[in-house]
Amino acid sequence: MRALIQRVKKASVEIENDTEDRSIGQGLLVLIGIEHEDKLEDADYLLQKITQLRIFSDAEGKMNLSLKDIQGSILVVSQFTLFASTKKGNRPSFIQSAGPETAIPLYEYFLKHLNDSFEFIVKSGIFGADMQVSLVNDGPVTILIDSKNKE
């Protein structure tokens, strides 16, 4: 699994014919990509890293605070294009991305554990929907975490 994490002042996702409020204030916008071989352990790894990531500024301006420390929110959006391959030609291939039979259960597991285990306001997009994502990136700070490439 891959997560592209953006520290935001605010973010939202709009989905046609959807009236649910899918917006957050200060916090994290997390784009989640799932590949064929991903398992629950990959989701658990990302959950732990994302929720404890210290990328918010403390009183001295140093990135030393976590989402919990600032009582921030999190917006999660499925993003199969995080596994795009551009090796051949100019048209990306998404063959590495998991199909719905693998990706939906992992995406739902990820969301459920965020909601059940952490004190954040958690909002999300809808898996597979055409979504318009808006954000005000804070910093900007953008971090990529890959559960298979633990750097």
Side-chain angles (χ1 to χ4, degrees), residues 5-23:
I5 302 153
Q6 297 184 306
R7 186 178 76 180
V8 298
K9 290 189 181 278
K10 63 181 178 178
S12 64
V13 62
E14 293 181 21
I15 303 164
E16 189 174 346
N17 300 321
D18 179 57
T19 59
E20 185 175 333
D21 178 19
R22 298 177 186 277
S23 62

Side-chain angles (χ1 to χ4, degrees), residues 23-138:
S23 62
I24 63 167
Q26 184 181 25
L28 299 175
L29 169 62
V30 179
L31 305 176
I32 294 286
I34 301 167
E35 68 177 325
H36 296 289
E37 298 108 32
D38 286 333
K39 306 278 187 252
L40 295 179
E41 295 79 26
D42 295 289
D44 290 337
Y45 174 79
L46 288 182
L47 284 162
Q48 184 271 329
K49 292 300 278 185
I50 291 166
T51 56
Q52 295 181 27
L53 201 58
R54 298 184 324 174
I55 61 171
F56 293 93
S57 299
D58 62 15
E60 295 163 9
K62 293 183 180 174
M63 281 196 248
N64 203 27
L65 302 176
S66 70
L67 191 62
K68 183 178 181 179
D69 295 329
I70 66 150
Q71 298 178 344
S73 304
I74 188 165
L75 174 60
V76 180
V77 177
S78 62
Q79 185 74 48
F80 75 94
T81 60
L82 287 178
F83 283 100
S85 172
T86 56
K87 266 187 194 175
K88 295 182 179 178
N90 294 318
R91 184 172 154 212
S93 167
F94 303 107
I95 197 154
Q96 197 175 346
S97 298
E101 66 285 346
T102 300
I104 290 173
L106 280 171
Y107 180 70
E108 290 175 351
Y109 174 89
F110 185 87
L111 290 174
K112 180 177 180 351
H113 280 75
L114 271 177
N115 278 305
D116 291 350
S117 305
F118 304 100
E119 303 166 6
F120 316 125
I121 294 172
V122 179
K123 303 281 180 108
S124 66
I126 297 175
F127 186 91
D130 182 28
M131 297 175 273
Q132 286 67 53
V133 179
S134 301
L135 70 134
V136 176
N137 196 316
D138 183 13

